[in-house]
């Protein structure tokens, strides 16, 4: 860590000498990282000793993810609740079987990181799908009304837009899965190697996590778009635009 | 192309109102876009809905198609409040085409068959022929059609559903003079041949005179005149630009 801090100090000196003006931001970033990660490490130390506390920790992660995604999908009714439902259901469907069949032991040491990674992936997919769908509804409202005028249900009219939103949301997760090992070495893999595991063991865990991430992302994106579509569909098979905020 | 003139007495005899708005109010953001509209559209007749910009013409057509819901009053089709009917069924029987033709992705065939179970190749080709497009156009990418062709295609797309009423929101608004004359002729012919009830929005009283037996003049969300287009034009000079 001291070597890392030394490198930041070098960067700050370079910034000062070249007049880049980012030295203050570098110091603030380092201090924040030290405090935040230090506090989280202390909390996780406490949480790691109690399965009940770890469940609470997962709930806090879910709430934070729902708030983050909910803010992205403003303009539809109850955005936080819709985001929470999409993320929680997708993450549960992806994570619960991993512990139920014994892929990972049901201990806080595994529950927290695996849940965190999957909830994060579901959150990203929910935000991306929600944002894209809201854009699609606004940009293609005339086309959607033309479809309605041809006597199809609102859900049928929306179908191609839902599909586009889900596909757009899944591109990062699909690319990440396709290029794993080629472009990047993902976190769990690197962490396990650094922790002394064999590359094969690390790869096995990483692949499990990646597949869970992909599954959770797909489920979350599908769920989020369906929930937003339900909010947009009005009585009489009409489609209401999300309200700009 | 020679402009269409509706032949007098060539349509189905006037019957009871086919489609009607009764004390219709549609409000948006607290403003009454339609403010107590009473109007009926007789079977097999062409009615022009005329009026200045912002008078509520498009909103009236949208409400007749249930794309806009009434704040008060009602829309009646065959004597029944449209809210008691299945909206999808209603929209197939009361079809709507828009000012700018909306082309769906894919071929002309995909556009015509959209939402239909198995319309049959012959019915689709016939619908194209009915609007003056060649049946072979079914295989064309719909986005390669000119605006005039695309508007004809959107009318064919509505006709495949065998509607009783055609609502047309300034169907020639985005077209040049020749293409406009073609669409006018087409709508007039469909009305005569199929007994189609037509309500179309226009800014152009001369067009209303050419195409419609009756014109209703909307101003500030209310019907202020309902007569022959010539009478409306004479009684309300300068109301329509």
């Amino acid at each position: 860590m001291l070597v890392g801090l030394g490198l930041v100090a070098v960067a700050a000196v370079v910034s000062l000498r070249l007049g880049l003006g980012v030295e203050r931001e570098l110091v603030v970033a380092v201090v924040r990282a030290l405090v935040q990660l230090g506090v989280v490490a202390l909390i996780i130390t406490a949480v790691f000793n109690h399965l009940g506390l770890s469940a609470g920790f997962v709930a806090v992660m879910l709430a934070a993810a729902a708030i983050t995604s909910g803010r992205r999908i403003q303009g539809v009714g109850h955005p936080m609740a819709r985001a929470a439902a999409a993320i929680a259901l997708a993450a549960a469907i992806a994570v619960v079987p991993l512990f139920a069949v014994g892929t990972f032991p049901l201990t806080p040491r595994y529950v927290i990181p695996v849940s965190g990674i999957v909830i994060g992936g579901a959150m990203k997919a929910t935000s991306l799908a929600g944002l894209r769908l809201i854009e699609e509804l606004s940009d293609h409202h005339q086309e959607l009304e033309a479809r309605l005028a041809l006597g199809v249900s609102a859900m049928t009219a929306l179908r191609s837009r839902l599909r586009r939103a889900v596909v757009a949301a899944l591109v990062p997760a699909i690319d990440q899965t396709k290029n794993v090992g080629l472009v990047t070495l993902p976190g769990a893999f690197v962490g396990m190697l650094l922790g002394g595991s064999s590359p094969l063991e690390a790869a096995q865990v990483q692949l499990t996590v990646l597949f869970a991430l992909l599954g959770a992302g797909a489920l979350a994106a599908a769920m989020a778009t369906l929930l937003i579509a339900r909010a947009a569909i009005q009585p009489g098979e009409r489609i209401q635009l999300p309200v700009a905020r | 192309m020679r402009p269409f003139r509706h032949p007098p007495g060539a349509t189905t005899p006037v019957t009871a109102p086919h489609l009607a708005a009764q004390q219709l109010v549609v409000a948006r953001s607290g403003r009454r876009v339609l403010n107590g509209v009473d109007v009926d559209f007789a079977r097999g007749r062409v009615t022009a809905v005329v009026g200045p910009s912002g008078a509520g013409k498009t909103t009236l057509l949208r409400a007749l198609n249930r794309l806009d819901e009434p704040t008060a009053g009602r829309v009646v089709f065959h004597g029944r409040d449209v809210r008691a009917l299945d909206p999808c069924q209603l929209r197939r029987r009361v079809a709507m085409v828009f000012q700018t033709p909306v082309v769906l992705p894919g071929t002309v065939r995909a556009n015509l068959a959209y939402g239909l179970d198995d319309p049959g190749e012959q019915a689709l080709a016939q619908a194209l022929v009915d609007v003056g497009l060649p049946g072979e156009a079914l295989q064309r990418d719909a986005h390669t059609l000119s605006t005039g062709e695309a508007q004809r295609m959107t009318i064919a797309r509505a006709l495949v559903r065998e509607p009783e009423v055609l609502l047309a929101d300034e169907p020639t608004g985005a077209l040049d003079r020749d293409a406009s004359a073609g669409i006018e002729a087409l709508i007039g012919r469909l009305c005569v041949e199929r007994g189609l009830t037509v309500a179309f929005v226009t800014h152009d009283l001369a067009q209303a005179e050419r195409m419609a037996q009756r014109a209703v003049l909307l101003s500030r969300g209310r019907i202020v005149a309902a007569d022959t287009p010539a009478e409306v034009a004479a009684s309300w000079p300068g109301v329509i630009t």
Side-chain angles (χ1 to χ4, degrees):
Chain A
M1 191 166 77
L2 283 175
V3 175
L5 278 174
L7 285 172
V8 176
V10 170
V13 170
V14 169
S15 167
L16 209 58
R17 294 291 293 270
L18 296 180
L20 301 178
V22 292
E23 60 279 357
R24 192 182 142 77
E25 276 192 70
L26 282 171
V27 173
V28 170
V30 166
V31 172
R32 277 189 61 164
L34 279 170
V35 172
Q36 286 169 201
L37 215 54
V39 171
V40 169
L42 286 174
I43 293 172
I44 288 180
T45 305
V47 167
F48 266 14
N49 297 319
H50 301 279
L51 195 57
L53 277 180
S54 67
F57 196 80
V58 170
V60 170
M61 287 195 282
L62 265 177
I67 291 169
T68 306
S69 279
R71 283 191 181 138
R72 295 276 178 209
I73 55 174
Q74 291 294 316
V76 295
H78 310 295
M80 306 269 177
R82 290 177 203 277
I87 296 168
L89 204 65
I93 290 172
V95 168
V96 169
L98 294 178
F99 290 99
V101 301
T103 309
F104 299 119
L106 189 61
T107 61
R109 186 171 290 277
Y110 286 90
V111 168
I112 290 174
V114 171
S115 302
I117 291 170
V118 173
I119 289 170
M123 175 186 76
K124 197 193 289 181
T126 299
S127 296
L128 289 174
L131 270 176
R132 179 62 182 259
L133 183 58
I134 289 168
E135 267 177 30
E136 292 275 333
L137 293 182
S138 302
D139 294 349
H140 298 276
H141 195 238
Q142 204 181 11
E143 182 196 305
L144 291 170
E145 291 212 318
R147 289 177 188 266
L148 291 178
L150 291 168
V152 300
S153 69
M155 193 49 97
T156 303
L158 282 168
R159 198 164 289 150
S160 63
R161 300 295 143 202
L162 299 184
R163 200 180 302 130
R164 279 169 191 267
V166 171
V167 170
L170 288 183
V171 166
I174 290 172
D175 284 355
Q176 186 188 7
T177 307
K178 276 200 302 202
N179 291 302
V180 67
L182 295 175
V183 181
T184 55
L185 290 178
F189 184 76
V190 173
M192 286 190 68
L193 286 184
L194 293 176
S197 299
S198 76
L200 274 179
E201 277 177 328
Q204 198 179 3
V205 169
Q206 182 62 65
L207 284 173
T208 308
V209 170
L210 268 180
F211 297 157
L213 254 179
L214 196 57
L219 285 169
M223 192 76 68
T225 51
L226 280 176
L227 290 171
I228 293 170
R230 280 180 67 109
I233 294 173
Q234 299 295 304
E237 299 294 341
R238 293 178 304 118
I239 297 169
Q240 191 176 47
L241 279 178
V243 183
R245 300 262 167 106
Chain B
M1 192 177 288
R2 199 164 59 86
F4 175 79
R5 277 196 185 277
H6 212 288
T11 55
T12 314
V14 179
T15 58
H18 194 192
L19 181 68
Q22 297 175 346
Q23 285 297 302
L24 187 65
V25 176
V26 176
R28 246 184 245 126
S29 309
R31 190 177 83 85
R32 289 186 167 208
V33 185
L34 295 181
N35 192 10
V37 167
D38 277 301
V39 63
D40 53 61
F41 302 92
R43 186 193 298 273
R45 289 267 171 151
V46 181
T47 303
V49 179
V50 296
S53 294
K57 304 183 296 293
T58 296
T59 303
L60 174 60
L61 254 59
R62 289 172 57 84
L64 294 171
N65 194 248
R66 263 198 100 181
L67 286 175
D68 281 338
E69 287 287 66
T71 309
R74 61 182 193 156
V75 172
V76 175
F77 182 51
H78 283 294
R80 290 181 69 190
D81 189 323
V82 293
R83 280 172 292 199
L85 304 172
D86 172 50
C88 300
Q89 287 299 323
L90 172 79
R91 290 182 186 135
R92 287 180 189 208
R93 294 166 73 186
V94 181
M96 183 156 174
V97 294
F98 299 87
Q99 178 177 358
T100 308
V102 180
V103 175
L104 304 179
T107 60
V108 170
R109 187 192 183 287
N111 267 266
L112 264 54
Y114 177 72
L116 300 176
D117 288 336
D118 184 18
E121 213 59 19
Q122 205 170 353
L124 299 181
Q126 186 58 49
L128 282 186
V129 172
D130 286 348
V131 299
L133 291 173
E136 302 81 62
L138 278 178
Q139 307 310 325
R140 271 178 73 180
D141 179 346
H143 281 104
T144 65
L145 299 173
S146 69
T147 313
E149 288 173 327
Q151 191 63 293
R152 284 173 184 272
M153 185 203 69
T154 64
I155 295 171
R157 195 169 61 187
L159 293 179
V160 172
R161 285 150 180 82
E162 300 186 338
E164 297 171 42
V165 180
L166 182 67
L167 306 172
D169 186 6
E170 295 201 57
T172 61
L175 307 182
D176 61 29
R177 207 166 137 184
D178 275 356
S180 293
I183 295 294
E184 284 182 16
L186 167 65
I187 290 176
R189 185 166 53 77
L190 290 170
C191 184
V192 173
E193 289 175 1
R194 297 193 175 210
L196 203 61
T197 302
V198 177
F200 78 97
V201 164
T202 182
H203 275 98
D204 181 357
L205 261 176
Q207 185 181 50
E209 285 189 57
R210 285 194 300 274
M211 291 180 67
Q213 294 99 344
R214 185 163 168 261
V216 292
L217 173 61
L218 261 175
S219 178
R220 296 182 182 180
R222 289 180 185 275
I223 301 281
V224 294
D227 209 325
T228 62
E231 283 295 326
V232 170
S235 310
W236 295 80
V239 174
I240 308 157
T241 51

